[in-house]
């Protein structure tokens, strides 16, 4: 194979998952992520893996629960409405402390919405999505290369912290084609002594379960889980800064919105406007530090999003509302243009 | 919207042997639609009545309809489902698709959806195409796509398509590229691959394609070179 290949974002996720050692994929087709399933359907049988098109998204996420219990790297993927269906299963994964990867290639909503790109599942993914006190590690790729890299990262982090990791992409990221290098290191899964792999009559049964009827014990489990979340916050927060050193205006954007924003920033810089970008790569944990720091030298944040303003709340929290945070957005499957973002920058500079 | 102009180039003789119907098939994402639109524009230079039929039942995005303005300007008839690019996510076929086989005055290019799934659409048209027997069926290949990285896997995909189409290919289009990172070397490195696919299948390489700027560098170095004016797709036009 050549050094680089030309891939759709969805294909990059599938190939990276296989590279990361995932041999079990359960899914159900939905635009704009169907290429993940199509790729797995082609490739898994050839490498001794399992591709299964489940009868529904709910069935698929419960199959993920099963394989995760057995300690193997496993994934499912869908798009917004399908992720809502998986919500119950994701909560059960959290309750049973199971590592798994869930991919959401978002489309416009709510409801069935449309098939064009969106970032309107930010709240759903960063706040949990299903019921109960829990978090997922949420990774937001901004290129096809990152679709691959963050898929691998997702599996590694899921295993490291016994959590569900989500790759939160959008329809653009899933559908666009870019050259990708698949030459990356993969950390193999750790030992999983808790997994239900059979006792061989040598140890006690392992039980994987999210039911806990004694409130004192359930409280302890929740507290222990949040202590683990603190470690994730401390160790795994990722972000990119672009032209932030002398910035007087800072854009906050992830995924496709960050790419559009970079174009706008380059144009604004030509006009002498000092503007930069903070791009969260982990949406949970949210990178508070760069925003807190930027709040000491910028006069305004602009949150560029493909939704009605969701990440903007985290930008306000992280910057402790020290400077104004405004919204530049499109919704319903529309993408802000570089010109629209540039206009917002010019307005903020005056 | 097209980038660049390939009007200075002549279409390779090998790619247009006077057949009335040219079917473009290949692996998902191999570049079929771009090639189909460019071929239609070139055919229009030598044929009065040219039509391009978008019979993609696989992908709701990236359709010939993206190039509607260009096709209209060139006087090329676009046969496409009213649902293409409408976000109605159903595999619909155009109501006037039978013009392809009924109207023998048309020079037609058929842009078929990817892989064997896409080729199933030929079930309806195959009997008339075979009976008329005035067609080329061309396989688009790209060595840089992850599921067709070598001649053997490419031939496997090709056989799957033939099985679904119940028709045999007559030629190969080498469209090996790495998107915007394509250089002359990218194309040159793919020539042995394409030649091996040709050897394994006994099919001729009717042309090697390259984006117009890359093609300028390759002029005289690659046999039957066909420069492509890249069609901006639905998503690229937004960002």
């Amino acid at each position: 194979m050549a050094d680089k290949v030309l891939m759709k974002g969805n294909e990059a996720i599938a190939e990276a998952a296989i590279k990361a050692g995932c041999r079990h994929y359960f899914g159900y087709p939905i635009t704009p992520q169907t290429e993940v399933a199509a790729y797995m359907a082609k490739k898994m049988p050839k490498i001794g893996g399992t591709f299964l098109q489940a009868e529904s998204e709910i069935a698929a996420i419960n199959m993920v629960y099963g394989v995760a219990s057995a300690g193997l790297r496993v994934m499912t993927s869908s798009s917004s409405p399908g992720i809502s269906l998986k919500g119950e299963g994701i909560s059960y994964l959290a309750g049973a402390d199971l590592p798994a990867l869930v991919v959401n290639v978002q489309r416009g909503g709510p409801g069935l919405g449309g098939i064009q790109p969106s970032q309107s599942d930010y709240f759903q993914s960063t706040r949990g999505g299903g019921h109960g006190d829990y978090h997922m590690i949420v990774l937001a790729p901004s290129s096809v290369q990152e679709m691959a890299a963050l898929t691998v990262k997702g599996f590694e982090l899921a295993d490291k912290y016994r959590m569900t990791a989500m790759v939160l992409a959008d329809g653009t990221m899933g559908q666009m084609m870019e050259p990708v290098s698949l030459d990356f290191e993969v950390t193999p899964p750790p030992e999983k002594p808790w997994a239900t792999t059979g006792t061989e009559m040598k140890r006690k049964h392992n039980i994987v379960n999210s039911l806990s009827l004694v409130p004192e014990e359930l409280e302890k489990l929740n507290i222990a889980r949040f202590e683990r979340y603190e470690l994730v916050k401390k160790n795994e927060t990722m972000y990119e800064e672009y032209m932030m050193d002398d910035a007087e205006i800072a854009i906050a954007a992830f995924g496709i919105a960050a790419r559009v924003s970079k174009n706008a920033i380059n144009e604004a810089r030509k006009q002498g406007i000092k503007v930069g970008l903070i791009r969260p790569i982990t949406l949970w944990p949210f990178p508070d530090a760069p925003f807190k720091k930027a709040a000491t030298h910028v006069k305004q944040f602009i949150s560029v999003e493909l939704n009605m303003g969701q990440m903007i709340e985290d930008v306000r929290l992280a910057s402790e509302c020290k400077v104004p945070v405004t919204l530049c957005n499109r919704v319903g499957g529309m993408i802000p243009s570089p010109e629209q973002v540039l206009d917002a920058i010019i307005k903020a500079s005056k | 919207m097209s980038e660049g102009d390939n009007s200075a180039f002549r279409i390779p003789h090998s790619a247009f042997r006077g057949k009335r119907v040219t079917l473009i098939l290949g692996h998902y994402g191999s570049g079929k639609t771009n090639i189909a639109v460019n071929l239609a524009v070139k055919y229009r230079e030598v044929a009065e009545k040219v039509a391009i039929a978008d019979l993609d039942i696989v992908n709701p995005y990236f359709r010939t309809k993206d190039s509607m303005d260009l096709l209209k300007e060139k006087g090329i008839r676009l046969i496409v489902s009213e649902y293409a690019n409408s976000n109605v996510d159903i595999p619909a076929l155009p109501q006037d698709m039978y013009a392809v086989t009924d109207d023998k005055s048309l020079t037609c290019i058929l842009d078929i959806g990817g892989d064997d799934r896409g080729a199933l659409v030929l079930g309806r048209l195959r009997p008339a195409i075979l009976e008329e027997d005035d067609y080329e069926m061309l396989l688009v290949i790209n060595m840089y796509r992850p599921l067709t990285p070598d001649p053997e896997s490419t031939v496997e995909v090709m056989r799957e398509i033939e099985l679904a189409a119940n028709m045999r290919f007559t030629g190969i289009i080498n469209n090996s590229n790495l998107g915007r990172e394509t250089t002359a070397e990218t194309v040159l490195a793919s020539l042995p691959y394409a030649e091996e696919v040709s050897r394994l299948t006994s099919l001729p390489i009717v042309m090697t394609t390259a984006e117009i700027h890359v093609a300028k560098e390759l002029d005289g170095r690659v046999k039957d070179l066909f420069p492509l004016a890249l069609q901006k797709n639905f998503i690229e036009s937004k960002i």
Side-chain angles (χ1 to χ4, degrees):
Chain A
M1 198 187 270
D3 294 342
K4 281 192 172 181
V5 286
L6 184 65
M7 299 186 102
K8 277 198 168 198
N10 287 333
E11 295 169 340
I13 284 176
E15 183 61 38
I18 290 166
K19 285 249 187 300
C22 172
R23 291 293 178 274
H24 296 82
Y25 172 90
F26 308 100
Y28 188 84
I30 180 171
T31 305
Q33 69 76 51
T34 301
E35 289 86 357
V36 182
Y39 197 94
M40 290 299 197
K42 279 247 180 217
K43 197 128 187 203
M44 279 298 196
K46 291 183 179 167
I47 54 170
T50 298
F51 161 84
L52 202 151
Q53 180 174 321
E55 68 269 33
S56 71
E57 286 86 348
I58 298 168
I61 192 72
N62 283 291
M63 291 171 188
V64 168
Y65 185 103
V67 172
S69 302
L72 298 172
R73 284 188 168 165
V74 57
M75 75 178 284
T76 186
S77 63
S78 190
S79 180
S80 307
I83 296 294
S84 290
L85 283 167
K86 292 181 196 291
E88 178 191 69
I90 293 171
S91 171
Y92 278 49
L93 286 165
D97 297 308
L98 287 172
L101 187 76
V102 177
V103 173
N104 181 1
V105 184
Q106 298 162 93
R107 55 190 255 176
L112 267 179
I115 64 168
Q116 293 299 330
S118 168
Q119 297 180 327
S120 54
D121 303 344
Y122 180 92
F123 281 152
Q124 184 195 42
S125 53
T126 58
R127 270 61 177 170
H131 60 280
D133 269 328
Y134 76 95
H135 283 292
M136 287 185 290
I137 296 165
V138 183
L139 304 159
S142 189
S143 65
V144 176
Q145 184 68 54
E146 274 193 358
M147 290 285 259
L150 292 180
T151 295
V152 173
K153 188 85 182 165
F155 278 110
E156 291 171 348
L157 292 177
D159 275 338
K160 188 173 173 187
Y161 296 99
R162 286 185 67 177
M163 288 176 69
T164 297
M166 174 176 275
V167 173
L168 186 73
D170 62 73
T172 329
M173 285 294 133
Q175 292 298 322
M176 70 196 300
M177 281 177 105
E178 287 182 330
V180 178
S181 164
L182 293 165
D183 183 23
F184 33 62
E185 295 294 309
V186 174
T187 310
E191 289 291 310
K192 297 179 182 177
W194 48 265
T196 51
T197 50
T199 65
E200 295 180 7
M201 310 297 268
K202 287 174 188 163
R203 60 163 168 79
K204 282 173 71 177
H205 288 283
N206 283 341
I207 296 171
V208 173
N209 185 23
S210 73
L211 180 69
S212 184
L213 293 173
V214 181
E216 290 82 358
E217 286 176 14
L218 184 54
E219 182 180 50
K220 272 187 203 159
L221 283 173
N222 272 285
I223 290 168
R225 199 167 289 132
F226 271 72
E227 282 167 0
R228 207 152 16 100
Y229 292 165
E230 285 305 312
L231 282 181
V232 180
K233 282 186 192 175
K234 191 168 147 246
N235 299 332
E236 311 297 349
T237 304
M238 289 188 285
Y239 60 91
E240 179 201 356
E241 285 185 317
Y242 181 70
M243 296 194 175
M244 277 303 296
D245 285 348
D246 62 345
E248 291 166 4
I249 299 162
I251 286 178
F254 64 97
I256 188 65
R259 286 176 72 137
V260 173
S261 298
K262 274 189 186 173
N263 287 339
I265 288 167
N266 292 341
E267 194 51 44
R269 284 270 170 180
K270 282 184 204 159
Q271 298 181 21
I273 303 171
K274 289 180 178 171
V275 54
L277 169 74
I278 302 171
R279 175 171 76 91
I281 298 171
T282 50
L283 300 181
W284 194 93
F286 192 76
D288 291 340
F291 288 97
K292 198 171 174 180
K293 187 177 145 218
T296 62
H297 63 88
V298 304
K299 60 179 181 183
Q300 187 176 323
F301 288 102
I302 305 170
S303 194
V304 181
E305 305 184 54
L306 277 66
N307 57 48
M308 289 304 290
Q310 298 191 14
M311 184 178 70
I312 192 171
E313 294 191 5
D314 285 332
V315 176
R316 286 195 178 115
L317 284 169
S319 61
E320 296 168 346
C321 296
K322 284 189 174 134
V323 292
V325 187
T326 56
L327 179 67
C328 175
N329 69 330
R330 291 298 296 271
V331 295
M334 302 301 292
I335 304 174
S337 65
E339 293 75 25
Q340 183 189 348
V341 179
L342 181 62
D343 283 348
I345 293 169
I346 291 169
K347 200 174 156 199
S349 71
K350 284 175 181 162
Chain B
M1 277 177 287
S2 62
E3 283 184 359
D5 177 11
N6 69 350
S7 57
F9 290 87
R10 294 173 65 91
I11 188 163
H13 177 68
S14 57
F16 186 44
R17 293 181 285 199
K19 300 290 186 185
R20 195 182 71 75
V21 177
T22 304
L23 300 100
I24 309 286
L25 293 93
H27 176 44
Y28 190 64
S30 57
K32 297 174 293 299
T33 297
N34 247 308
I35 289 167
V37 170
N38 274 270
L39 271 183
V41 171
K42 278 289 154 191
Y43 283 12
R44 183 65 187 82
E45 291 172 12
V46 290
E48 190 57 37
K49 287 174 72 180
V50 176
I52 182 167
D54 177 342
L55 303 181
D56 190 342
I57 50 166
V58 178
N59 195 335
Y61 314 104
F62 316 125
R63 305 286 292 263
T64 49
K65 213 172 185 176
D66 294 329
S67 307
M68 195 159 60
D69 293 345
L70 171 73
L71 295 169
K72 200 177 266 182
E73 178 200 317
K74 299 283 181 187
I76 296 163
R77 178 172 170 190
L78 174 59
I79 298 173
V80 64
S81 161
E82 60 196 291
Y83 296 111
N85 279 2
S86 69
N87 298 322
V88 180
D89 194 6
I90 52 170
L93 288 168
Q95 55 212 11
D96 53 346
M97 67 180 272
Y98 290 106
V100 169
T101 45
D102 289 352
D103 184 353
K104 304 279 193 290
S105 70
L106 283 178
T107 298
C108 273
I109 292 170
L110 271 56
D111 180 18
I112 311 295
D115 292 334
D116 47 353
R117 296 162 287 163
L120 286 173
V121 78
L122 286 174
R124 285 187 180 190
L125 294 172
R126 181 181 58 247
I129 292 174
L130 289 178
E131 192 189 342
E132 186 190 3
D133 194 20
D134 191 7
Y135 71 93
E136 290 275 9
M137 181 161 132
L138 303 177
L139 172 73
V140 180
I141 61 173
N142 180 357
M143 177 180 94
Y144 300 99
R145 292 284 289 144
L147 292 181
T148 56
D150 49 53
E152 292 72 23
S153 55
T154 307
V155 173
E156 192 184 325
V157 169
M158 170 193 149
R159 297 295 178 214
E160 289 169 359
I161 294 172
E162 287 188 330
L163 207 61
N166 209 354
M167 291 173 72
R168 305 299 294 268
F169 282 105
T170 61
I172 295 165
I173 297 174
N174 178 19
N175 184 48
S176 293
N177 75 88
L178 267 175
R180 294 194 183 279
E181 287 183 22
T182 308
T183 63
E185 282 63 41
T186 312
V187 179
L188 291 171
S190 75
L191 298 182
Y193 152 85
E195 275 157 23
E196 181 61 9
V197 175
S198 170
R199 194 188 66 78
L200 289 172
T201 58
S202 302
L203 293 172
I205 301 167
V206 298
M207 58 182 175
T208 296
T209 58
E211 187 276 328
I212 211 148
H213 299 95
V214 178
K216 278 174 188 161
E217 283 181 58
L218 289 167
D219 206 14
R221 296 161 79 189
V222 176
K223 196 166 160 269
D224 297 323
L225 181 67
F226 183 48
L228 294 178
L230 291 187
Q231 306 302 304
K232 272 206 176 177
N233 68 44
F234 204 41
I235 280 178
E236 282 165 351
S237 65
K238 286 184 176 186
I239 53 174

